[in-house]
Amino acid sequence: MSHLDDLPPTPGKYKVVPYGVLHNHRYLRLSKLTLWASLFLALFLFYLVLSAPPSPSRRSLNDSSVKYGGSHWEKQVRKSARPRSRGGLTVLVTGAAGFVGTHVSIALRRRGDGVLGLDNFNRYYDPKLKRARQGLLERSGVFVVEGDVNDAVLLRKLFDVVLFTHVMHLAAQAGVRYAMQNPGSYVNSNIAGFVNLLEVSKAASPQPALVWASSSSVYGLNTKVPFSEKDRTDQPASLYAATKKAGEGIAHTYNHIYGLSLTGLRFFTVYGPWGRPDMAYFFFTKDILKGKTITVFESPDKGSVARDFTYIDDIVRGCLGALDTAEKSTGSGGKKKGPAMFRIYNLGNTSPVPVTKLVTILEKLLKMKAKRKIMPLPRNGDVEFTHANITLAQTEIGYKPEVDLEAGLKKFVKWYMGFYTGSKKKSSW
């Protein structure tokens, strides 16, 4: 079986719909209170990062193990970023060796776009998995530059070598609970790194259009369901959520001042092959196979915690839809020449599933009974439920989730068994 067989089907380019016709201003304008609160929070967190110790996972350009530049390096960069189809995009994908980044990069490359990856290969989870994803990218013709989005020198070098039409910004410090252990890493990556990328992008001539990963976590303690882009997002339940919300406020500022075309995507619990080991479906699978007890949380009223699980193929189609419909930035060299597009979309499955049912499906697929331990949901940043209203994304970028949880978990389990246990049913992807 080809290593591409389990890839998301190549999404076709979605026809651009005139922006002014469909996008009602009430969906786009943040309330003054929310905007100023977001900016204040962003500035406060940005200040904190100045005093935070550098993450041991970050690699400085002064480190002799990090090499870039030279004719061979530039040749690799240009070759990877060169579109293979007429009219193809030229996309810088940050966090390219991450879960979503790998799938998006390969999908773009498969349809003929030029793709250059950037990733710092940090140790938040097993870097061997990231290196394995890097192997997939290389076999698909995607070169991954090893570096950090906080490295302005490297970013400017990349923008000098390649004229990017788009940036898909997926690099981030993920995870809700880890923020209680290492808060500085979230500020460093999700705020400082994003600002650094925006600074380099706004100085480019012409400026690229940017699509970046926000999160469903921004809805925080909101109790109105399903979550709509119009709902309040000023009650974050975790530092991770706060940094993602701050990112939305910062993006709005760069759009307003510098004319950058910006689209934020609020992902809802993404799962699938090559996923993140810190996600429940992933470590539940690992522990069930090892016969270990798994902890399943319940809400204070003894109800089940539920998530709007969204399969990776559907997320990829949403990402490509956002790239394809993104209008050009209106600035050049840091100067705005007119109003630019600013959008926020939910990307979810719009069908929340109790975590208890997730476990039941895994038991069926793994043919093993889970040892469950029911515990009250701790106050560590997790919320009781998520549920996406995807009407706006359906209308404007053609987003339409197709994979239900059982079908998606079946594909994940097949990949997991092959990758970690050497099962004969292994898919080479």
Side-chain angles (χ1 to χ4, degrees):
M1 182 181 292
S2 166
H3 73 278
L4 295 177
D5 285 347
D6 286 339
L7 274 173
T10 305
K13 294 189 177 181
Y14 188 77
K15 184 177 180 181
V16 178
V17 180
Y19 176 65
V21 174
L22 290 174
H23 212 291
N24 191 301
H25 288 297
R26 70 176 184 272
Y27 293 125
L28 298 178
R29 291 184 178 175
L30 300 174
S31 68
K32 291 183 178 180
L33 176 62
T34 302
L35 176 58
W36 283 110
S38 300
L39 293 177
F40 177 80
L41 175 63
L43 290 172
F44 174 69
L45 293 174
F46 189 66
Y47 170 77
L48 287 180
V49 78
L50 298 179
S51 59
S55 168
S57 65
R58 289 186 58 203
R59 308 181 80 179
S60 167
L61 286 176
N62 294 324
D63 185 340
S64 61
S65 67
V66 181
K67 298 181 183 297
Y68 73 96
S71 59
H72 178 66
W73 181 85
E74 290 190 9
K75 183 177 179 180
Q76 287 179 296
V77 167
R78 288 196 175 96
K79 181 180 178 181
S80 183
R82 186 179 303 120
R84 294 183 296 183
S85 63
R86 186 174 182 179
L89 310 181
T90 301
V91 188
L92 171 65
V93 179
T94 69
F99 173 32
V100 179
T102 296
H103 283 266
V104 169
S105 296
I106 296 178
L108 286 168
R109 193 63 177 166
R110 285 185 66 189
R111 72 178 198 177
D113 295 315
V115 183
L116 179 67
L118 176 66
D119 204 291
N120 68 356
F121 293 92
N122 69 28
R123 294 181 175 274
Y124 169 62
Y125 59 81
D126 187 2
K128 291 181 181 178
L129 178 57
K130 298 179 182 180
R131 293 298 179 183
R133 296 189 191 122
Q134 183 183 22
L136 294 177
L137 292 166
E138 290 175 349
R139 292 197 293 274
S140 298
V142 177
F143 178 59
V144 180
V145 175
E146 186 165 352
D148 199 293
V149 289
N150 281 287
D151 190 335
V153 175
L154 174 57
L155 284 181
R156 285 195 291 268
K157 176 67 175 178
L158 295 177
F159 275 70
D160 285 342
V161 174
V162 178
L163 188 64
F164 296 108
T165 61
H166 295 74
V167 174
M168 185 78 219
H169 179 46
L170 297 168
Q173 176 58 64
V176 170
R177 301 171 193 172
Y178 183 62
M180 299 181 72
Q181 303 174 38
N182 189 2
S185 65
Y186 289 79
V187 181
N188 179 66
S189 180
N190 300 355
I191 295 180
F194 190 26
V195 169
N196 197 49
L197 179 62
L198 290 170
E199 278 291 304
V200 175
S201 297
K202 62 101 168 172
S205 297
Q207 298 169 339
L210 283 89
V211 177
W212 90 96
S214 183
S215 169
S216 62
S217 295
V218 300
Y219 291 108
L221 302 178
N222 183 25
T223 57
K224 174 183 171 293
V225 291
F227 299 154
S228 166
E229 293 88 347
K230 297 179 291 182
D231 293 341
R232 64 184 299 182
T233 53
D234 57 354
Q235 301 179 94
S238 66
L239 179 61
Y240 169 72
T243 60
K244 284 297 187 178
K245 177 56 186 173
E248 292 186 357
I250 291 168
H252 186 277
T253 302
Y254 274 78
N255 166 266
H256 175 69
I257 297 176
Y258 301 110
L260 280 172
S261 172
L262 284 150
T263 302
L265 304 176
R266 293 173 177 170
F267 295 159
F268 281 71
T269 316
V270 189
Y271 73 100
W274 297 95
R276 283 183 10 224
D278 64 319
M279 299 294 285
Y281 73 93
F282 201 115
F283 61 75
F284 280 172
T285 298
K286 177 181 177 181
D287 290 344
I288 290 172
L289 287 171
K290 290 185 176 182
K292 293 184 177 180
T293 300
I294 63 172
T295 300
V296 180
F297 295 122
E298 64 180 9
S299 61
D301 62 357
K302 305 298 182 180
S304 179
V305 172
R307 291 289 180 269
D308 198 349
F309 295 102
T310 313
Y311 190 65
I312 183 62
D313 289 23
D314 292 325
I315 290 293
V316 168
R317 280 187 282 271
C319 289
L320 269 60
L323 286 168
D324 291 339
T325 57
E327 294 180 355
K328 293 182 179 180
S329 294
T330 61
S332 181
K335 295 183 179 180
K336 179 179 179 180
K337 297 181 179 179
M341 172 181 280
F342 182 79
R343 308 178 294 177
I344 298 286
Y345 297 117
N346 288 336
L347 294 188
N349 193 55
T350 200
S351 299
V353 176
V355 175
T356 51
K357 182 175 180 180
L358 166 76
V359 176
T360 300
I361 295 172
L362 286 175
E363 289 176 324
K364 174 183 175 182
L365 295 171
L366 296 170
K367 296 180 174 60
M368 292 185 68
K369 194 71 175 176
K371 299 176 182 178
R372 308 188 193 197
K373 181 180 181 181
I374 307 300
M375 295 283 290
L377 185 68
R379 299 187 64 176
N380 59 5
D382 275 329
V383 295
E384 295 179 27
F385 56 86
T386 59
H387 184 183
N389 179 331
I390 60 172
T391 302
L392 197 60
Q394 287 177 320
T395 303
E396 298 192 3
I397 64 174
Y399 176 68
K400 184 180 179 182
E402 300 175 356
V403 184
D404 64 42
L405 183 59
E406 183 163 355
L409 285 176
K410 183 176 182 180
K411 294 181 180 181
F412 165 73
V413 167
K414 178 183 178 183
W415 167 81
Y416 185 96
M417 297 299 288
F419 188 79
Y420 287 103
T421 71
S423 168
K424 292 182 179 180
K425 294 182 179 181
K426 173 181 178 179
S427 164
S428 58
W429 207 85

